Amino acid sequence: MWSYHMTTKAIKERSEMIVERFKEKNVTIDLKTLNEELSTLVETYGMDIREAENAIVSRIAREHDITMYTGSFDTSVAEIKALTSGAWATLEVRCVDVVKPPIQKMEYQGIFADATGAMQFTIWERKGKDAAPIPPIVKDAWYRVEKCVIDTYNGVDYIKVHSGTIITEIEDRGDLTPIFTPIDALKNPGIVSIRGKVVRIFETKSDKVKCSGIIADETGSISFVAWASSTPDITIEDGETYEFRYCTVAPNNSTKYPGNSLTLSNHVVPIELDMEVVSTAGTETLQGNLVQIRRGSGLIKRCPVDGCNRTVDRRNFCAAHGVQPKFTYDMRIKGVIDDGYAAYSANIPCKVTEAITGVTIADAIEIAESSPLGFEDVFDMVKKNVCGRYFTFEVVKYQDAVYVAKAQPLTFEQIKELAGIPIIPYGQQGLEVE
Amino acid sequence: MDTNKYIREPAVRLFAGEFNASKLLKKYSDDEKAPSYLITPTGAVANRVLISGVLVERNEKEDSRGSKWYKLKINDNTGMFTVMIGTYQPDAIREIAEIKAPEFVVVIGKPSVFEGENGSLFTSLKAEDIIVCDPETRNVWTLDTAQQTLARIVMMDELRSGREVEGIDPRAKEAVDYYKGDLKKYNEFVKKAVGNLALHTA
């Protein structure tokens, strides 16, 4: 920030800039006179440089009967962290991501970052003849962005580069270390970086989605999506831990899972983190009865196309990729956990399904391949073994849906301790059936 | 309520003694397909119920068009549940075909109330699923149901005394005017069910 104690050099630079601004309007100003006037106001009278500059510019503009912008336009370099919607700003930033713009009227879309944070940018098509030309915007290059405006779209602030914005490439200042945010602190929309473990990959239902699921860390969990258009090459593995840099947090439109969700950028870096700690991170304990086993539980077949993972039907047909004779097998339970007060849609992955049903995926494949009704037989086995039973589930909660990371039968001894109800005989009643 | 969003109704835990004493079945919309809720004496608001016990009777019947249906009796030591399974319960009708009495079972179902010829009301359960279980599951259910029933008795006691209870389903208050009997009766069901565990669990 500028202080009252401006250096002579800085005042000279400001003076030169004012001369340039008037030159654009065909008004010639004497640099020496201007420089003296500005240093008097700043150094002798202790005026703020911007106030002094505005005072001089508006006076000269009046004298020449022209209009000059003298708002609170600040040419000092602002920090991204401090930007708020509606502000005009000058930034010195690294372009950390460039994506294919969703509409033709945009030339570029991506993310700019500085040491204090990151923000999405949109560079609109340049139309007016006065529009300043822009250099090519490439990932990892540094730019000075003058006179951009901070605007809001879908609740997320972004840097709007309009035809008056000046962008110049500046010297490379190297990599930036993002500030990592705990997941439960992701309250406000914006660009964030997190470290987390992928605890669930959803089945992809649309070609527009490259990958979606849930990421958890030690503090909470959040859903994520990687769009095929902006992150076509991303690979995310279930159960792996990553640095997800420069993701966008925004409220999603899903009625099923309302709340914030993350849109991933291309900056996804696999990292080594203590898996034991992270695997239970973000989970909570849910005791309840598995009151329903839905169709689609048991042994299923998945599309083998990289990144697809959709279930294929009995004819091995994938909705996106046609007939897939080389499908892969998977086992799961889609069910409902009910504690008597609420019912949660539960997704139980292969490992946990095997553990609670006692049916391994190898057993299930053998049954399925040796009988025409094998899949139904596996479904019936799974249902008979776990439906209506009580379990203690370790889950990642996601509104009324849960992803089950672990499950163990709830025993009578355990509930006896938890319930704290004295178990004493009541008269001589036994089972009336006896 | 957001009509776009489907919220599955939780399965209320009820002992047979309380279930059979519950006669108030209400709909909260004129829509023919609107869900029904059984309001019980302790103030449970149940569109769905989870029960466990011993299947003691399994009656296979046929309706006038020759379709099979089943009338079951399941005992939980506080009374006898009547459970119906017809062609509208496709999962349960497949399951009951392979089950014989006596057997420990878990049933998830929807309550309904019929008016008998003499005007008396009769409460039964339409099973969505019926699953054979081990005694352990029945015992866990008994304690789970005991806990939830005791919590409702406390709540109903407060409501009957005209005090507000935070965070409850407002429909539970309908039980205050409808049921007048002593709440001790429901406490006795809990004691009976839990007391039976003392004899059958070491």
Side-chain angles (χ1 to χ4, degrees), chain A residues 224-236:
Chain A
F224 74 91
V225 61
W227 297 103
S229 60
S230 52
T231 44
D233 303 319
I234 209 164
T235 9
I236 307 275

Side-chain angles (χ1 to χ4, degrees), chain B residues 114-169:
Chain B
F114 290 100
E115 194 175 334
E117 280 167 18
N118 59 359
S120 64
L121 296 172
F122 172 75
T123 308
S124 67
L125 198 63
K126 276 185 248 164
E128 294 175 301
D129 275 303
I130 177 162
I131 310 283
V132 174
C133 70
D134 48 16
E136 176 94 352
T137 299
R138 195 280 312 262
N139 295 345
V140 173
W141 173 84
T142 303
L143 275 190
D144 185 24
T145 305
Q147 249 185 318
Q148 300 199 10
T149 303
L150 289 173
R152 289 196 306 268
I153 292 170
V154 173
M155 168 191 80
M156 190 45 60
D157 203 39
E158 292 289 298
L159 291 179
R160 283 190 179 186
S161 313
R163 287 186 286 270
E164 284 296 317
V165 181
E166 257 181 63
I168 61 159
D169 187 324

Side-chain angles (χ1 to χ4, degrees), chain A residues 255 289 291-292 295 336 338-341 380 383-384 388-390 411-412 423-426 429-430 432, chain B residues 5 8 10-11 13 75 77 94-95 98 108 129 132 136-137 139 141 144 148 188 192 195-196 198-199:
Chain A
T255 49
N289 192 295
V291 294
Q292 194 188 14
R295 294 280 147 199
V336 176
D338 185 315
D339 64 7
Y341 300 100
D380 287 348
K383 187 166 180 180
K384 278 181 184 166
R389 307 312 203 288
Y390 284 88
T411 64
F412 182 69
I423 297 173
I424 40 173
Y426 178 90
Q429 292 91 336
E432 289 172 28
Chain B
K5 203 180 164 210
R8 186 184 155 103
R13 278 54 156 166
N75 188 283
N77 295 311
R94 262 186 64 203
E95 288 150 7
E98 296 176 11
I108 298 107
D129 275 303
V132 174
E136 176 94 352
T137 299
N139 295 345
W141 173 84
D144 185 24
Q148 300 199 10
E188 290 304 302
K192 253 180 147 178
N196 183 266
L199 303 176

Side-chain angles (χ1 to χ4, degrees), chain A residues 31 161 170 216-217 239 362 369 411:
Chain A
L31 177 63
V161 173
I170 56 177
D217 68 5
E369 290 184 345
T411 64

